[in-house]
Amino acid sequence: ETGVTQTPRHLVMGMTNKKSLKCEQHLGHNAMYWYKQSAKKPLELMFVYSLEERVENNSVPSRFSPECPNSSHLFLHLHTLQPEDSALYLCASSQAHGYTEAFFGQGTRLTVV
Amino acid sequence: DQQVKQNSPSLSVQEGRISILNCDYTNSMFDYFLWYKKYPAEGPTFLISISSIKDKNEDGRFTVFLNKSAKHLSLHIVPSQPGDSAVYFCAACSPGNQFYFGTGTSLTVIP
């Protein structure tokens, strides 16, 4: 298996649920990212991890909680989400944080009901 | 405020002709730019990049042009093929900072 893998591909959750999105990269990269893509909006960077340390948190509400247990895995823990959080959540990795292109996973389509 | 803008949400081009996708940016500190391509139900894939020391970068059928004075970036695809039909995103960054993405342009290449 190669590249960046995200699970699940689709998720429907209620506003009181707790769920987690998982991302795994098999590229030996040192940086991993969570992006949110809402309809007709640009990709929004949520979190950046470089060498397992969080280096950026773009004013994301605390109901989104990232976790990076090692350089190959990244999680996004979700709790008490709102319907407006429904979006495509994309994980990406890059060789280093900064001037290198990112490789994206296929995304998790999240619907909050 | 959006720092990277793709003002054309969609573009249709006949197979074999040139596709030109445009991108404008507002931050003069941006010095590295990328184009990504996205098919439905897949994540974006990297296509081509350019740094601000260049004004053109070519890779096969894909050429990116950078006009720093106009803060404008364009992607040319020639000849266009039906398999090029996808959403194209441009992205820009400045030293030590995150990438900012545009909203994307959906390209349809008509056979």
Side-chain angles (χ1 to χ4, degrees):
Chain A
E1 193 172 354
T2 59
V4 181
T5 306
Q6 287 186 246
T7 53
R9 294 290 309 277
H10 301 272
L11 178 63
V12 179
M13 61 186 287
M15 288 190 282
T16 58
N17 290 160
K18 287 185 182 181
K19 295 285 183 185
S20 295
L21 310 185
K22 179 182 174 183
C23 177
E24 187 173 356
Q25 58 101 356
H26 310 274
L27 300 166
H29 288 167
N30 291 319
M32 295 188 76
Y33 311 80
W34 280 116
Y35 283 88
K36 175 183 177 182
Q37 186 180 21
S38 304
K40 298 184 181 177
K41 286 188 174 181
L43 277 167
E44 300 171 55
L45 180 65
M46 300 174 73
F47 302 104
V48 182
Y49 277 81
S50 179
L51 298 170
E52 301 158 45
E53 297 285 328
R54 193 190 309 180
V55 296
E56 282 192 49
N57 176 351
N58 280 2
S59 303
V60 179
S62 60
R63 56 187 185 269
F64 295 92
S65 173
E67 179 192 358
C68 186
N70 55 60
S71 60
S72 299
H73 293 86
L74 188 64
F75 293 90
L76 188 62
H77 304 299
L78 317 170
H79 62 99
T80 59
L81 294 193
Q82 306 297 312
E84 59 264 29
D85 296 322
S86 299
L88 180 68
Y89 288 84
L90 287 160
C91 172
S93 71
S94 64
Q95 203 160 29
H97 177 41
Y99 287 155
T100 54
E101 60 269 21
F103 290 75
F104 285 83
Q106 293 172 300
T108 296
R109 173 67 63 187
L110 173 68
T111 304
V112 182
V113 297
Chain B
D1 187 34
Q2 261 183 261
Q3 299 198 46
V4 177
K5 297 179 184 177
Q6 292 177 258
N7 293 317
S8 299
S10 63
L11 174 68
S12 289
V13 170
Q14 207 71 35
E15 182 179 3
R17 306 294 287 268
I18 185 170
S19 295
I20 300 176
L21 297 105
N22 294 303
C23 180
D24 297 293
Y25 60 96
T26 57
N27 188 341
S28 57
M29 298 299 292
F30 287 150
D31 63 354
Y32 189 60
F33 306 87
L34 302 92
W35 283 94
Y36 283 87
K37 176 179 178 179
K38 184 181 184 301
Y39 292 117
E42 293 185 15
T45 54
F46 168 73
L47 194 57
I48 193 168
S49 65
I50 189 167
S51 80
S52 60
I53 60 171
K54 292 183 158 185
D55 53 20
K56 177 182 172 181
N57 189 24
E58 196 170 348
D59 183 3
R61 296 185 298 112
F62 302 91
T63 303
V64 56
F65 294 92
L66 176 62
N67 183 334
K68 290 183 286 294
S69 60
K71 295 194 185 70
H72 179 80
L73 188 67
S74 63
L75 175 68
H76 293 211
I77 306 172
V78 56
S80 301
Q81 298 174 356
D84 297 329
S85 296
V87 178
Y88 290 79
F89 294 94
C90 67
C93 80
S94 55
N97 279 308
Q98 63 172 305
F99 278 99
Y100 291 88
F101 284 81
T103 49
T105 296
S106 178
L107 173 67
T108 302
V109 179
I110 304 162

